[in-house]
Amino acid sequence: MGMMKGRNLVNALGIPGWLLLIWVGGVYYSAFILITMLIAIGEFYTMAEKKGAKPILGLGLISSILISYYFHTQPIISPNQIIAFIIFLILITLICELFSNNKNSGMNIAYTLSGILFVSLLLGTAIEIRQFDTRVGTQLTLALVLSVWACDSAAFIFGTKFGKKKIFPRVSPNKSWIGSISGLIASIIIFILFQNQGWLGNYFSISDAIFLGIITGGFGQIGDFTESLLKRDAGVKDSGTLLQGHGGVLDRFDSLIFATPLTYLYVHFLMQF
């Protein structure tokens, strides 16, 4: 009963709060995503510790702040400067580990860098997508979030009622093909609705909306499976306990960790905005 109350409280406060921050945008939404990144990378490193590793938390937190600042401000940076940052990050990680006197140095280095890449870099693109909305007058961020929710809801409802054949039992025993396909269709419908209503602006055609729906509904679910794989590897049920009844922050943002960076690539590289 207490868990259900906690879950209902998180829904009652979290969903309207998230939607409000999307509407406000700017530094407020960027700060929200940054806080999410900091908590999520902490959860990722905690799962790594279950495997006997000891990632460098401070480096992960500092990198998250720098990455979020980059996506928020969008400074003009050359490819050489980006490579310089990557080189500096790797060298600092190696030097910190050299003087840490911890065991399992290879694992510590690997988990430190993979946490920054998997959590901070991928999730940080959510900041830039919201900044993109502000620049060109679109509602791409809202469409992404609503399509993820629609995918989760449709997958649960239809999977629970009709799902028999499991899609990935080794990683997630409860997910079915029917549920997964239903979630994909729901995501595509959300994007088509946004496109028909003009909420995606004049830049996205109906084919773009379908592709974006596939990215969110298809690859978003792969993000869910990936996080389930990591949790299973670490031997934990949830990535954390911060959100009562919902697990950890990483549990709630696993789909966006895949969907948002792929949307970022679609918009800036395929559509060349």
PDB file of all heavy atoms in Angstrom, residues 64-80:
ATOM      1  N   SER A  64      29.336  15.667 -16.651  1.00  0.00           N
ATOM      2  CA  SER A  64      27.912  15.893 -16.898  1.00  0.00           C
ATOM      3  C   SER A  64      27.597  17.386 -16.944  1.00  0.00           C
ATOM      4  O   SER A  64      26.825  17.849 -17.801  1.00  0.00           O
ATOM      5  CB  SER A  64      27.065  15.217 -15.815  1.00  0.00           C
ATOM      6  OG  SER A  64      27.247  13.824 -15.822  1.00  0.00           O
ATOM      7  N   ILE A  65      28.186  18.138 -16.033  1.00  0.00           N
ATOM      8  CA  ILE A  65      27.966  19.586 -16.000  1.00  0.00           C
ATOM      9  C   ILE A  65      28.510  20.243 -17.267  1.00  0.00           C
ATOM     10  O   ILE A  65      27.846  21.086 -17.883  1.00  0.00           O
ATOM     11  CB  ILE A  65      28.623  20.197 -14.744  1.00  0.00           C
ATOM     12  CG1 ILE A  65      27.917  19.693 -13.481  1.00  0.00           C
ATOM     13  CG2 ILE A  65      28.588  21.721 -14.796  1.00  0.00           C
ATOM     14  CD1 ILE A  65      28.616  20.044 -12.189  1.00  0.00           C
ATOM     15  N   LEU A  66      29.705  19.843 -17.692  1.00  0.00           N
ATOM     16  CA  LEU A  66      30.305  20.417 -18.897  1.00  0.00           C
ATOM     17  C   LEU A  66      29.500  20.066 -20.143  1.00  0.00           C
ATOM     18  O   LEU A  66      29.284  20.919 -21.022  1.00  0.00           O
ATOM     19  CB  LEU A  66      31.749  19.931 -19.045  1.00  0.00           C
ATOM     20  CG  LEU A  66      32.748  20.404 -17.976  1.00  0.00           C
ATOM     21  CD1 LEU A  66      34.101  19.743 -18.182  1.00  0.00           C
ATOM     22  CD2 LEU A  66      32.876  21.919 -17.989  1.00  0.00           C
ATOM     23  N   ILE A  67      29.048  18.830 -20.221  1.00  0.00           N
ATOM     24  CA  ILE A  67      28.266  18.400 -21.382  1.00  0.00           C
ATOM     25  C   ILE A  67      26.930  19.141 -21.436  1.00  0.00           C
ATOM     26  O   ILE A  67      26.497  19.589 -22.505  1.00  0.00           O
ATOM     27  CB  ILE A  67      28.053  16.876 -21.342  1.00  0.00           C
ATOM     28  CG1 ILE A  67      29.379  16.160 -21.636  1.00  0.00           C
ATOM     29  CG2 ILE A  67      26.982  16.441 -22.343  1.00  0.00           C
ATOM     30  CD1 ILE A  67      29.351  14.667 -21.389  1.00  0.00           C
ATOM     31  N   SER A  68      26.276  19.288 -20.290  1.00  0.00           N
ATOM     32  CA  SER A  68      24.995  20.004 -20.268  1.00  0.00           C
ATOM     33  C   SER A  68      25.189  21.473 -20.628  1.00  0.00           C
ATOM     34  O   SER A  68      24.352  22.069 -21.324  1.00  0.00           O
ATOM     35  CB  SER A  68      24.344  19.885 -18.884  1.00  0.00           C
ATOM     36  OG  SER A  68      25.121  20.534 -17.896  1.00  0.00           O
ATOM     37  N   TYR A  69      26.300  22.069 -20.190  1.00  0.00           N
ATOM     38  CA  TYR A  69      26.585  23.464 -20.539  1.00  0.00           C
ATOM     39  C   TYR A  69      26.783  23.613 -22.038  1.00  0.00           C
ATOM     40  O   TYR A  69      26.294  24.574 -22.652  1.00  0.00           O
ATOM     41  CB  TYR A  69      27.839  23.933 -19.794  1.00  0.00           C
ATOM     42  CG  TYR A  69      28.253  25.353 -20.152  1.00  0.00           C
ATOM     43  CD1 TYR A  69      27.593  26.448 -19.608  1.00  0.00           C
ATOM     44  CD2 TYR A  69      29.307  25.581 -21.038  1.00  0.00           C
ATOM     45  CE1 TYR A  69      27.963  27.741 -19.948  1.00  0.00           C
ATOM     46  CE2 TYR A  69      29.682  26.872 -21.373  1.00  0.00           C
ATOM     47  CZ  TYR A  69      29.003  27.950 -20.827  1.00  0.00           C
ATOM     48  OH  TYR A  69      29.356  29.231 -21.179  1.00  0.00           O
ATOM     49  N   TYR A  70      27.477  22.654 -22.635  1.00  0.00           N
ATOM     50  CA  TYR A  70      27.692  22.694 -24.081  1.00  0.00           C
ATOM     51  C   TYR A  70      26.369  22.630 -24.836  1.00  0.00           C
ATOM     52  O   TYR A  70      26.118  23.421 -25.746  1.00  0.00           O
ATOM     53  CB  TYR A  70      28.598  21.534 -24.513  1.00  0.00           C
ATOM     54  CG  TYR A  70      28.604  21.323 -26.011  1.00  0.00           C
ATOM     55  CD1 TYR A  70      29.316  22.171 -26.848  1.00  0.00           C
ATOM     56  CD2 TYR A  70      27.873  20.282 -26.588  1.00  0.00           C
ATOM     57  CE1 TYR A  70      29.312  21.994 -28.220  1.00  0.00           C
ATOM     58  CE2 TYR A  70      27.867  20.095 -27.958  1.00  0.00           C
ATOM     59  CZ  TYR A  70      28.585  20.951 -28.770  1.00  0.00           C
ATOM     60  OH  TYR A  70      28.568  20.774 -30.125  1.00  0.00           O
ATOM     61  N   PHE A  71      25.516  21.680 -24.471  1.00  0.00           N
ATOM     62  CA  PHE A  71      24.241  21.529 -25.184  1.00  0.00           C
ATOM     63  C   PHE A  71      23.309  22.716 -24.951  1.00  0.00           C
ATOM     64  O   PHE A  71      22.504  23.061 -25.814  1.00  0.00           O
ATOM     65  CB  PHE A  71      23.554  20.226 -24.775  1.00  0.00           C
ATOM     66  CG  PHE A  71      24.121  19.004 -25.441  1.00  0.00           C
ATOM     67  CD1 PHE A  71      24.613  17.954 -24.685  1.00  0.00           C
ATOM     68  CD2 PHE A  71      24.155  18.902 -26.821  1.00  0.00           C
ATOM     69  CE1 PHE A  71      25.138  16.820 -25.299  1.00  0.00           C
ATOM     70  CE2 PHE A  71      24.676  17.776 -27.445  1.00  0.00           C
ATOM     71  CZ  PHE A  71      25.168  16.725 -26.680  1.00  0.00           C
ATOM     72  N   HIS A  72      23.419  23.349 -23.784  1.00  0.00           N
ATOM     73  CA  HIS A  72      22.555  24.500 -23.502  1.00  0.00           C
ATOM     74  C   HIS A  72      23.013  25.741 -24.260  1.00  0.00           C
ATOM     75  O   HIS A  72      22.191  26.480 -24.805  1.00  0.00           O
ATOM     76  CB  HIS A  72      22.539  24.794 -21.998  1.00  0.00           C
ATOM     77  CG  HIS A  72      21.713  25.987 -21.634  1.00  0.00           C
ATOM     78  ND1 HIS A  72      20.331  25.949 -21.584  1.00  0.00           N
ATOM     79  CD2 HIS A  72      22.057  27.259 -21.310  1.00  0.00           C
ATOM     80  CE1 HIS A  72      19.871  27.138 -21.256  1.00  0.00           C
ATOM     81  NE2 HIS A  72      20.896  27.954 -21.087  1.00  0.00           N
ATOM     82  N   THR A  73      24.302  25.986 -24.300  1.00  0.00           N
ATOM     83  CA  THR A  73      24.813  27.223 -24.892  1.00  0.00           C
ATOM     84  C   THR A  73      25.113  27.096 -26.376  1.00  0.00           C
ATOM     85  O   THR A  73      25.129  28.092 -27.095  1.00  0.00           O
ATOM     86  CB  THR A  73      26.102  27.668 -24.175  1.00  0.00           C
ATOM     87  OG1 THR A  73      27.078  26.622 -24.279  1.00  0.00           O
ATOM     88  CG2 THR A  73      25.822  27.959 -22.706  1.00  0.00           C
ATOM     89  N   GLN A  74      25.388  25.856 -26.838  1.00  0.00           N
ATOM     90  CA  GLN A  74      25.730  25.613 -28.238  1.00  0.00           C
ATOM     91  C   GLN A  74      26.846  26.540 -28.740  1.00  0.00           C
ATOM     92  O   GLN A  74      26.673  27.264 -29.743  1.00  0.00           O
ATOM     93  CB  GLN A  74      24.490  25.769 -29.119  1.00  0.00           C
ATOM     94  CG  GLN A  74      23.520  24.605 -29.039  1.00  0.00           C
ATOM     95  CD  GLN A  74      24.088  23.331 -29.670  1.00  0.00           C
ATOM     96  OE1 GLN A  74      24.146  23.191 -30.880  1.00  0.00           O
ATOM     97  NE2 GLN A  74      24.497  22.406 -28.829  1.00  0.00           N
ATOM     98  N   PRO A  75      27.982  26.588 -28.056  1.00  0.00           N
ATOM     99  CA  PRO A  75      29.085  27.423 -28.530  1.00  0.00           C
ATOM    100  C   PRO A  75      29.661  26.863 -29.825  1.00  0.00           C
ATOM    101  O   PRO A  75      29.484  25.679 -30.141  1.00  0.00           O
ATOM    102  CB  PRO A  75      30.102  27.327 -27.392  1.00  0.00           C
ATOM    103  CG  PRO A  75      29.835  25.991 -26.782  1.00  0.00           C
ATOM    104  CD  PRO A  75      28.347  25.787 -26.882  1.00  0.00           C
ATOM    105  N   ILE A  76      30.335  27.712 -30.568  1.00  0.00           N
ATOM    106  CA  ILE A  76      30.970  27.261 -31.805  1.00  0.00           C
ATOM    107  C   ILE A  76      32.275  26.557 -31.438  1.00  0.00           C
ATOM    108  O   ILE A  76      33.233  27.175 -30.974  1.00  0.00           O
ATOM    109  CB  ILE A  76      31.241  28.451 -32.747  1.00  0.00           C
ATOM    110  CG1 ILE A  76      29.923  29.128 -33.127  1.00  0.00           C
ATOM    111  CG2 ILE A  76      31.979  27.980 -33.988  1.00  0.00           C
ATOM    112  CD1 ILE A  76      30.103  30.374 -33.968  1.00  0.00           C
ATOM    113  N   ILE A  77      32.284  25.250 -31.619  1.00  0.00           N
ATOM    114  CA  ILE A  77      33.446  24.436 -31.255  1.00  0.00           C
ATOM    115  C   ILE A  77      33.882  23.641 -32.474  1.00  0.00           C
ATOM    116  O   ILE A  77      33.057  23.036 -33.165  1.00  0.00           O
ATOM    117  CB  ILE A  77      33.104  23.480 -30.087  1.00  0.00           C
ATOM    118  CG1 ILE A  77      32.828  24.282 -28.817  1.00  0.00           C
ATOM    119  CG2 ILE A  77      34.231  22.488 -29.845  1.00  0.00           C
ATOM    120  CD1 ILE A  77      32.490  23.437 -27.624  1.00  0.00           C
ATOM    121  N   SER A  78      35.166  23.641 -32.737  1.00  0.00           N
ATOM    122  CA  SER A  78      35.695  22.918 -33.885  1.00  0.00           C
ATOM    123  C   SER A  78      35.815  21.428 -33.561  1.00  0.00           C
ATOM    124  O   SER A  78      35.858  21.035 -32.387  1.00  0.00           O
ATOM    125  CB  SER A  78      37.068  23.476 -34.248  1.00  0.00           C
ATOM    126  OG  SER A  78      38.016  23.148 -33.251  1.00  0.00           O
ATOM    127  N   PRO A  79      35.876  20.581 -34.594  1.00  0.00           N
ATOM    128  CA  PRO A  79      36.092  19.147 -34.356  1.00  0.00           C
ATOM    129  C   PRO A  79      37.357  18.871 -33.541  1.00  0.00           C
ATOM    130  O   PRO A  79      37.386  17.952 -32.720  1.00  0.00           O
ATOM    131  CB  PRO A  79      36.197  18.575 -35.774  1.00  0.00           C
ATOM    132  CG  PRO A  79      35.406  19.520 -36.625  1.00  0.00           C
ATOM    133  CD  PRO A  79      35.619  20.870 -36.009  1.00  0.00           C
ATOM    134  N   ASN A  80      38.392  19.668 -33.763  1.00  0.00           N
ATOM    135  CA  ASN A  80      39.631  19.476 -33.005  1.00  0.00           C
ATOM    136  C   ASN A  80      39.432  19.731 -31.514  1.00  0.00           C
ATOM    137  O   ASN A  80      40.037  19.067 -30.665  1.00  0.00           O
ATOM    138  CB  ASN A  80      40.728  20.400 -33.539  1.00  0.00           C
ATOM    139  CG  ASN A  80      41.316  19.910 -34.849  1.00  0.00           C
ATOM    140  OD1 ASN A  80      41.252  18.719 -35.147  1.00  0.00           O
ATOM    141  ND2 ASN A  80      41.874  20.813 -35.636  1.00  0.00           N
TER     142      ASN A  80
END
